[in-house]
């Protein structure tokens, strides 16, 4: 199947194909799809709720790296929430800066941006 045919058969209007995530430790491989829209000035909890409301989830750190590599132009050069909590600092989660790909952590009550993804398992 060609990439164009795959996109036509599997993506909805406004969605972007980010690429393939290889499963680790026996987990399945999957295609990562970036959903349209963005939440602005939201806490981590509100970002997760927004993503769920539109039928997606916040991306993991690994997924954010793929999004930076393949769909960077779909993001503002700002910080975005990931789905992953940052264990060493209580009350914080991983974030990614889409101007340069840097990953760090932010406190859960900060107001950042969010994008949602969905996964097409192979």
């Amino acid at each position: 199947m060609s990439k164009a045919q795959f996109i036509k058969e599997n993506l909805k209007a406004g969605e972007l194909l980010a690429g393939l995530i290889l499963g680790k430790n026996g987990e399945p491989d999957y295609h990562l799809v970036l959903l349209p829209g963005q939440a602005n000035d939201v806490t981590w909890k509100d970002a997760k709720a927004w993503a769920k409301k539109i039928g997606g989830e916040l991306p993991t750190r690994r997924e954010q790296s793929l999004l930076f590599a393949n769909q960077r132009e779909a993001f503002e050069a700002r910080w975005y929430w990931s789905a992953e909590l940052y264990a060493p600092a209580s009350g914080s989660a991983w974030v990614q800066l889409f101007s340069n790909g840097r990953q760090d952590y932010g406190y859960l009550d900060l107001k950042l941006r969010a994008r949602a993804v969905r996964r097409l398992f192979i």
Side-chain angles (χ1 to χ4, degrees):
M1 172 184 306
S2 71
K3 178 180 172 185
Q5 184 179 353
F6 177 86
I7 289 172
K8 183 178 178 183
E9 292 178 9
N10 292 284
L11 270 60
K12 299 171 189 163
E15 293 183 336
L16 298 171
L17 183 62
L20 182 67
I21 295 282
L22 300 176
K24 289 188 172 184
N25 303 317
E27 295 175 354
D29 300 340
Y30 59 92
H31 296 280
L32 185 67
V33 177
L34 179 63
L35 301 184
Q38 172 175 289
N40 297 311
D41 300 321
V42 290
T43 64
W44 185 72
K45 182 179 176 184
D46 291 341
K48 288 180 61 92
W50 168 82
K52 185 176 182 180
K53 181 180 177 181
I54 67 164
E57 297 178 57
L58 294 180
T60 65
R61 290 178 64 206
R62 227 174 131 209
E63 291 168 344
Q64 282 185 322
S65 292
L66 183 66
L67 290 164
F68 180 77
N70 293 340
Q71 291 294 348
R72 179 180 182 180
E73 65 280 355
F75 290 81
E76 294 179 40
R78 309 265 182 165
W79 289 101
Y80 285 80
W81 288 115
S82 85
E84 296 182 47
L85 291 171
Y86 180 70
S90 178
S92 61
W94 285 99
V95 295
Q96 175 146 343
L97 181 58
F98 274 85
S99 62
N100 64 13
R102 178 178 167 205
Q103 292 187 342
D104 206 334
Y105 68 93
Y107 292 102
L108 300 178
D109 59 352
L110 287 174
K111 293 196 173 185
L112 305 176
R113 287 169 170 67
R115 295 292 304 262
V117 297
R118 68 182 179 94
R119 299 161 185 95
L120 297 172
F121 290 93
I122 299 173

